[in-house]
Amino acid sequence: MSDSALGDRYSNLIEQIIQQTLKGNIRSKEQVYQMLVQEIEPDSGEVFDAKFRDRMVQTQTTANDKSDELTQAKAMRAMRALQTIEGEWKRWQSDNQNRSAIATSVRQLNQADKRDRILIFLTLSDPNHPESLNSDQLKQVALTLKQQPISDAETQQELSQLSDGILRGFKSWEVLQPHLISWIYNPEQLGFGGTSRGVRPWELWAGQAIGNLPKSFFAALDQEQSAGEWAESQTEVALSDWIEFLIVVQTLQRGLVSWAENQSYSSKAGTSMSVSIFLTFALIWSELAGGFSRSTGLNSINRERFSEASFRVTLQILRVFAQRKYFPLYGTIYTSFTGTYFREAMNYLSEPLKRVKGTQEKARILTLIGSTQRIIGALEVAKELHTQAKEIAQDAGDRRCEIANFNHLSRISIIEKNYAEAISTSQRALILSRQSGDRMGEANALANLGYAEVFQAQLLESDPDAYELAIGYLEQGLALSEKLGDLQSQALCAISLGSAYVTLNDAEQALKYLEQGSYAAGESGDRYLHALCLAYVGEVFYQRQDAEKAILASAMAMYKLEQMGSTDWRTSAGLLTILQGQLGDRFEQILQSQRSSLIAEIGVDGFDYLRELLDRYRQA
């Protein structure tokens, strides 16, 4: 039917509804809605809308004309009928849009190549997509897929499995939802990792009446098997099982983030928890991508598409995370949510992100990964990532991210003992942060500048005035971070001050700032800074000739830094080796006397591992 013919038909429909309403034959909005549903053709909403707007303007004009009271009164009654039509027309548009979205989704899945079908499904449910489908719409897609007559038997079976997986996934989520956060309130266990065997989320979720694949996955994580190892061990997995697994893990992550972000008792605790959840699940999916790609039990098509889909989910999570205001541009978050496979997963993530085009989200993700690469000693990789992130942030106009990467590059130069470059880069960050009003960037720039100036002065054997200037920068940074309430920047500035006073052999001042830094690092959840602080504390007690406390602090620092993959563990190992040489047999006696304190921090396995680390250091 032509637009002209449709226009006449819709004008008559509008007039009919108005007249029937005025006569009292239409008594409810539902009657109006049903007439619209029966008469308006799909994909012709623009024609109806144009005719409706014309009739509305015409009637409003007549209603405003006071020259003929009878005509005006009739027009005002017609306006009330038109307002009813307008409300039900909006309802029709919403429902039609929903029907259209579902029909389009079904058509895309139907016509897709088998290798691409999962990726298309992920696009439909991508939270970064403005027109992504919600859970109710996805269920409707699944039901529609079941009703589609497909001539090709293989496609019919594939779509049937996809449909079953969607419906089973949301059914399993309904089973898990009451248990989403109950484990958090168990006093024996405060996270996803750790040494305690109290109630853990993986164990709790694995015990529920859900599908075999997600149940197997949660059980594997509970036994501290990595997600990658679990994926690699899978034999033939049906598409329906994988889709159920996908939906269960995705909805769990989104539910946890929603809960954490809405914590009224402590916004800081909620923010810290949210960061941990985003990182945990991004790392899980990155490991799954690698694990599925290595699986010899899967056929080639499933191996390829399960791996690619897992990688796509990783990027979806990180893109959502990068848009949050609390995205951590500074520091690396090591929390109880991260497992023993954190380091390997971050290594995996850094490479495939190079395949994504430059966006603001990519710049922020690369910033986070670059800081982790710095900590594990991959300085060239970290430098490349931060340089790339800085350039992308400049193009995207994300000044805070640009400044953060200047600050991270300054930290790398400090580690490389290129203090002149560190000073230059941190000065650039300081200028930009003050120009743009980025107070957190300013606090970090001051910390880096002061830290680099201290070691530059030491290298050049400068006079005491040079140290005073450097310490002045650090004190400014600490004061600013305290004012901002930024615990992570406080930790960085205080620990930098402590290390500066260690260099100046002022043990009393060093210990004062290190205690402050230790508290701030612990409260912010930055395990790396907390462990680094312990390393400096060990040096302070060594200067004070307190061997017992020096050994205790250095042993904890050595173990924790090595477990994170940081090369800084070697500094503490070096100090312990010196003490071992100085104390002889007494060193072992002191170590044994500190056994209970060490086990409380690093566990029995950690205590036994200390000697192996010292042997590794000496052999190297």
Side-chain angles (χ1 to χ4, degrees):
M1 187 178 291
S2 68
D3 285 354
S4 176
L6 275 175
D8 292 341
R9 173 179 164 182
Y10 292 157
S11 293
N12 291 334
L13 173 63
I14 294 166
E15 199 61 39
Q16 179 186 358
I17 294 174
I18 292 173
Q19 295 306 319
Q20 292 295 323
T21 301
L22 294 178
K23 292 177 181 179
N25 295 331
I26 294 178
R27 298 177 178 274
S28 70
K29 293 179 180 179
E30 186 62 29
Q31 287 177 278
V32 174
Y33 177 73
Q34 291 303 325
M35 291 179 73
L36 297 180
V37 170
Q38 291 170 13
E39 296 296 329
I40 299 178
E41 298 287 343
D43 301 321
S44 65
E46 291 182 2
V47 178
F48 179 86
D49 195 66
K51 291 299 178 181
F52 175 75
R53 295 300 161 194
D54 288 346
R55 184 66 166 89
M56 179 75 88
V57 170
Q58 176 191 344
T59 306
Q60 185 67 62
T61 302
T62 304
N64 292 337
D65 186 359
K66 299 180 180 179
S67 61
D68 186 334
E69 292 184 0
L70 184 61
T71 302
Q72 183 187 33
K74 185 177 180 181
M76 290 179 70
R77 291 198 300 274
M79 276 300 298
R80 286 194 289 271
L82 284 167
Q83 287 167 355
T84 300
I85 295 174
E86 183 175 35
E88 298 313 297
W89 165 232
K90 288 179 180 178
R91 178 184 168 189
W92 184 95
Q93 287 177 303
S94 176
D95 290 348
N96 183 66
Q97 185 178 20
N98 188 50
R99 287 192 296 269
S100 177
I102 290 168
T104 301
S105 301
V106 169
R107 185 169 58 253
Q108 288 176 337
L109 291 167
N110 191 350
Q111 296 173 354
D113 183 83
K114 182 176 182 178
R115 294 177 182 274
D116 300 330
R117 195 162 277 131
I118 295 178
L119 295 181
I120 290 174
F121 175 73
L122 285 174
T123 301
L124 297 176
S125 58
D126 184 358
N128 298 286
H129 197 282
E131 297 178 359
S132 65
L133 304 185
N134 58 36
S135 59
D136 288 336
Q137 290 172 320
L138 289 172
K139 290 176 190 175
Q140 191 60 48
V141 166
L143 293 172
T144 306
L145 285 173
K146 279 186 174 296
Q147 299 163 4
Q148 289 285 303
I150 307 293
S151 58
D152 181 70
E154 185 180 359
T155 302
Q156 177 72 57
Q157 183 182 20
E158 178 93 348
L159 293 177
S160 178
Q161 288 221 8
L162 180 61
S163 173
D164 288 343
I166 295 170
L167 296 174
R168 281 165 42 195
F170 286 112
K171 184 177 180 181
S172 289
W173 163 238
E174 290 173 4
V175 172
L176 288 175
Q177 193 170 14
H179 307 282
L180 177 67
I181 59 170
S182 58
W183 57 275
I184 292 175
Y185 299 103
N186 188 297
E188 298 178 23
Q189 181 63 31
L190 298 177
F192 280 87
T195 57
S196 168
R197 292 296 303 174
V199 176
R200 298 152 61 91
W202 315 124
E203 177 186 16
L204 180 65
W205 297 335
Q208 306 310 312
I210 58 177
N212 290 332
L213 197 65
K215 183 185 286 284
S216 165
F217 175 66
F218 294 142
L221 292 186
D222 183 57
Q223 295 302 314
E224 299 186 355
Q225 183 182 12
S226 77
E229 291 170 342
W230 174 83
E232 189 174 356
S233 70
Q234 296 305 301
T235 54
E236 282 306 318
V237 175
L239 176 62
S240 56
D241 294 333
W242 198 88
I243 292 294
E244 178 191 9
F245 166 78
L246 165 76
I247 289 173
V248 166
V249 179
Q250 281 187 317
T251 49
L252 273 174
Q253 177 251 317
R254 292 168 187 171
L256 285 168
V257 169
S258 177
W259 171 81
E261 288 182 336
N262 290 285
Q263 289 310 296
S264 58
Y265 70 91
S266 174
S267 59
K268 286 184 179 179
T271 295
S272 178
M273 183 76 79
S274 298
V275 170
S276 299
I277 295 165
F278 271 119
L279 282 175
T280 296
F281 282 88
L283 296 175
I284 281 174
W285 281 106
S286 73
E287 279 235 325
L288 288 170
F292 283 124
S293 70
R294 296 188 299 271
S295 174
T296 57
L298 297 174
N299 62 46
S300 59
I301 291 180
N302 281 347
R303 183 164 58 246
E304 179 182 333
R305 63 180 182 171
F306 291 171
S307 175
E308 184 65 22
S310 298
F311 171 64
R312 180 74 63 85
V313 176
T314 301
L315 292 182
Q316 288 181 358
I317 292 171
L318 288 174
R319 284 191 63 197
V320 172
F321 184 30
Q323 295 169 50
R324 294 297 203 266
K325 291 182 179 179
Y326 53 74
F327 185 83
L329 288 171
Y330 295 95
T332 302
I333 308 299
Y334 290 92
T335 72
S336 56
F337 275 81
T338 59
T340 57
Y341 47 94
F342 182 93
R343 184 166 66 228
E344 290 78 6
M346 288 306 268
N347 286 336
Y348 171 80
L349 267 179
S350 63
E351 181 59 31
L353 269 175
K354 295 175 183 177
R355 293 155 46 187
V356 182
K357 292 181 180 180
T359 62
Q360 180 182 9
E361 290 93 343
K362 179 178 178 179
R364 291 183 166 230
I365 294 165
L366 291 178
T367 303
L368 178 65
I369 296 174
S371 65
T372 301
Q373 293 294 325
R374 184 193 79 231
I375 287 170
I376 67 175
L379 299 184
E380 289 304 315
V381 175
K383 200 181 300 184
E384 179 187 350
L385 293 172
H386 285 306
T387 300
Q388 186 181 1
K390 174 173 65 69
E391 292 169 355
I392 295 172
Q394 287 172 338
D395 292 340
D398 189 346
R399 184 54 63 87
R400 287 183 63 244
C401 186
E402 178 188 354
I403 293 166
N405 281 285
F406 272 118
N407 278 321
H408 285 301
L409 288 166
S410 176
R411 296 293 292 179
I412 292 172
S413 296
I414 289 172
I415 295 170
E416 294 177 328
K417 296 183 170 50
N418 187 349
Y419 301 123
E421 179 65 23
I423 290 168
S424 174
T425 309
S426 57
Q427 285 175 334
R428 176 71 173 147
L430 185 60
I431 291 169
L432 288 174
S433 61
R434 285 176 170 170
Q435 286 176 345
S436 61
D438 179 7
R439 305 303 297 280
M440 188 181 296
E442 182 182 352
N444 277 269
L446 286 166
N448 290 335
L449 180 57
Y451 195 84
E453 290 274 14
V454 166
F455 285 95
Q456 177 82 323
Q458 184 185 34
L459 184 68
L460 300 176
E461 298 181 351
S462 303
D463 58 45
D465 291 342
Y467 288 104
E468 288 182 15
L469 178 64
I471 288 172
Y473 288 132
L474 290 170
E475 289 174 340
Q476 287 179 53
L478 180 59
L480 179 56
S481 57
E482 287 175 337
K483 185 176 180 180
L484 295 172
D486 176 18
L487 287 168
Q488 198 165 57
S489 295
Q490 284 180 48
L492 177 61
C493 292
I495 292 169
S496 297
L497 273 165
S499 66
Y501 280 111
V502 169
T503 302
L504 296 173
N505 292 311
D506 188 339
E508 185 176 345
Q509 283 289 87
L511 197 58
K512 167 190 162 186
Y513 285 113
L514 290 172
E515 286 176 349
Q516 183 178 353
S518 176
Y519 172 79
E523 287 295 299
S524 68
D526 194 319
R527 289 172 55 199
Y528 170 71
L529 280 180
H530 192 266
L532 189 63
C533 185
L534 283 171
Y536 287 123
V537 169
E539 292 188 41
V540 171
F541 285 119
Y542 177 72
Q543 289 179 0
R544 296 175 70 170
Q545 299 182 344
D546 189 334
E548 291 187 2
K549 291 181 179 178
I551 290 171
L552 177 63
S554 298
M556 286 192 292
M558 178 180 70
Y559 176 80
K560 291 183 176 184
L561 289 166
E562 192 276 341
Q563 288 294 292
M564 293 175 200
S566 172
T567 54
D568 290 326
W569 73 271
R570 298 180 60 80
T571 301
S572 295
L575 180 60
L576 288 169
T577 301
I578 291 171
L579 284 164
Q580 194 171 26
Q582 292 175 348
L583 297 171
D585 292 341
R586 186 163 171 260
F587 177 86
E588 186 62 31
Q589 293 171 1
I590 293 173
L591 195 61
Q592 286 297 328
S593 71
Q594 301 286 3
R595 188 174 187 275
S596 59
S597 298
L598 286 167
I599 287 176
E601 283 288 327
I602 63 177
V604 175
D605 292 341
F607 180 80
D608 294 339
Y609 189 48
L610 294 175
R611 293 173 183 80
E612 182 180 332
L613 285 178
L614 289 175
D615 288 341
R616 273 174 53 192
Y617 174 79
R618 282 192 294 268
Q619 290 168 8

